[in-house]
Amino acid sequence: MYVCLCHGVTDRDIREAADNGCSSMRQLGNELGVGRQCGRCASTAREILRESRTPDYLALANMLAQPA
């Protein structure tokens, strides 16, 4: 799903940035440009970033990354 139309950023892009160590909206803005233009995406991006940093999400991502 597209979160930031101004910069063409998807929820997957935000999750990938979180996996690579991005932990704040400031870092996300610097890396992907999210929230830097019109700002409509900021609340959704913040929610996805917060969700991506939770232990439940990280455990699921690690489980899916392991071969069956």
Side-chain angles (χ1 to χ4, degrees):
M1 153 181 86
Y2 278 93
V3 175
C4 177
L5 296 177
C6 297
H7 294 281
V9 178
T10 65
D11 60 322
R12 288 182 184 182
D13 297 329
I14 294 170
R15 286 186 176 93
E16 184 176 330
D19 289 344
N20 291 329
C22 185
S23 61
S24 71
M25 281 299 293
R26 181 174 295 214
Q27 289 175 329
L28 198 60
N30 289 338
E31 188 171 320
L32 301 175
V34 172
R36 296 293 172 114
Q37 196 140 354
C38 76
R40 290 180 181 218
C41 61
S43 63
T44 303
R46 186 176 294 111
E47 183 180 324
I48 293 169
L49 184 61
R50 187 179 313 125
E51 172 188 290
S52 297
R53 304 299 298 165
T54 63
D56 292 339
Y57 174 82
L58 295 173
L60 177 62
N62 287 332
M63 182 185 75
L64 293 174
Q66 296 175 358

